[in-house]
Amino acid sequence: MSIIIKKIFLGTAAFVTVALSACEKMVEVDPPINEIKSEVAFSSDKLAANTLSGMYTGLAQSSTQTVYLSLYNSLFADDLIYNGLNESSNDAYNNSYTTISLLQNNIFSDWYSTIYKANSIIEGLQKYKGTSDLVKKQLTAEAKFFRAYCYFNLVNTFGEVPLVLTTEVSISSLQPKETVDNIYKQIIIDLTAAKSDLLLDYSASSNTGNASNKRLGVNHYVATALLARTYLFTGDYAAAEKNASEVIAATNLYSLIPSGNMATGVWVKDNLESIWQMSSPIAPTNQYTDEAGAFLPFSGTEPQFDIRKTFRDLFISADLRGQKWMVSYGSGTSLKVLPYKYKYTSNATAVAAGVAESQTVLRLAEQYLIRAEARARIGVNLSGARDDMNMIRSRAKATESTTTVKSDLIDEILLENRKEFFCEQGYRWYNLKRTGQADLVLPTLKPAYRPAAKLLPLPTVAINANPNLKQNPDYR
């Protein structure tokens, strides 16, 4: 199904038609509709749910979510070495950003496109009659979660950006940048509201009747997990610990994939460790992800990437993450080691293996490490912090920590975070910046690196269209 609505991208003056096509239906919907006006889109529970489904699909299909978030953030950080000839990828690897204007435009517009859809859903549900109170509450909460998720990525990519909470063009097209603190405040407001109103299970997105079986929709714990991360990033460690604990305690829904199934189990569709996944960007029946194709070479081609050897050397031989989540190409001086979390670059190979993978955005392992770091930084429950970290180490068959010194424990937790989430959803890049390590680590690896590179320049096209939107000072 497609719903065509008119929208204005932030900072532009021209209308752009956006199709909200629903690959994975959140509920059963009517036959295809070619074009629906806003008042009609919210005239029934089914049509409103289909509009929301389009927002899910739009983000799941965006190149920013499926490729850039993991691949380019890994190049910006120190997870990968780039060996190819693509000029933009090389600039990303060197943090020079001289030829990646298209990348900046795509990232900026993809996040704001989803924010626009979220805003239109929030406004439409309030403005137009036809949806039941129960559905209105659920869909509004899901839209607020999406808005918060997009702003979290925007603020960690560009820093100060416009905080757009309306579809009113006369306001949104002229908004200046908002402070990072105020953007985080809005993220917390949206996530807190979403957490309060979302269901405790996944029944809103389940087509099977099994409420624990579908991880493509967002529920109370999805919002809680992102809230835990947000509080960690803003330094509210007590709130980060509290929210992470709530997710960890939901053992009816979540548990760590055991060691014996780590190779593929963490990335399998609807697995118990996943908190939030997204559908295939191509078709809902596809069993592979774009992430695999971004990192792994296709048959007959040479690898373009290599996991940095100094990072590989951090994995002891027994650590299953080095064994199961990395793959080698070549040997000797031509040896390249690549991320091997997602393993299938085509539907045929995934089907032949009997595995269905889904892009995984939030998973339980992060909540253990969030709580570990929060507890360590608070300094009251160091043994609990160490136990949380050891849950992840033990699963990977790595040596468990016995550290009792607060500063050493924090360092161990940060390293464990890096080892668990390498080349995944921008974790390393965001955390390098959050912890103040980027300016210490990257200059020794990348001669062209400078502190301004922690943030991408705002897209020139957006600045030219909005007289109140100013470029980051270091890029003027």
Side-chain angles (χ1 to χ4, degrees), residues 287 349-356:
Q287 296 177 196
T349 54
V351 171
V355 175

Side-chain angles (χ1 to χ4, degrees), residues 304-355:
Q304 296 188 59
F305 308 103
D306 189 13
I307 296 177
R308 197 177 295 274
K309 186 178 184 302
T310 53
F311 175 53
R312 301 199 311 261
D313 289 344
L314 296 175
F315 292 84
I316 61 172
S317 59
D319 195 316
L320 293 177
R321 292 168 297 193
Q323 298 177 29
K324 306 297 185 181
W325 293 356
M326 298 181 186
V327 63
S328 298
Y329 287 81
S331 61
T333 57
S334 64
L335 175 69
K336 300 291 187 298
V337 180
L338 302 182
Y340 199 45
K341 290 182 171 180
Y342 297 98
K343 294 175 170 57
Y344 303 99
T345 57
S346 72
N347 205 49
T349 54
V351 171
V355 175

Side-chain angles (χ1 to χ4, degrees), residues 65 70 79 145 149 202 215 219 221-229 243-245 247-248 250 253-258 261-268 270-278 291 311 315 319-321 324-325 340-343 358-371 391-393 395-396 415-428 431:
Q65 178 62 46
S70 293
D79 282 344
F145 170 85
Y149 174 71
Y202 292 93
R215 305 299 168 109
N219 67 5
Y221 296 106
V222 177
T224 306
L226 187 56
L227 195 54
R229 183 196 292 179
N243 281 274
S245 293
V247 179
I248 292 168
L253 289 176
Y254 310 113
S255 61
L256 292 176
I257 294 298
N261 199 26
M262 275 185 64
T264 58
V266 178
W267 323 108
V268 169
D270 300 326
N271 74 81
L272 291 176
E273 183 171 331
S274 63
I275 300 172
W276 183 35
Q277 297 181 318
M278 289 191 184
E291 284 91 332
F311 175 53
F315 292 84
D319 195 316
L320 293 177
R321 292 168 297 193
K324 306 297 185 181
W325 293 356
Y340 199 45
K341 290 182 171 180
Y342 297 98
K343 294 175 170 57
S358 284
Q359 50 178 317
T360 301
V361 186
L362 296 170
R363 57 186 178 94
L364 186 61
E366 181 193 11
Q367 299 302 303
Y368 276 106
L369 292 177
I370 286 174
R371 190 170 72 174
M391 286 287 292
I392 307 305
R393 285 193 175 184
R395 192 262 291 271
L415 178 58
E416 199 62 30
N417 193 302
R418 184 187 181 191
K419 292 165 74 175
E420 179 72 16
F421 292 103
F422 69 90
C423 297
E424 185 178 341
Q425 292 290 308
Y427 282 90
R428 174 62 174 170
N431 279 306

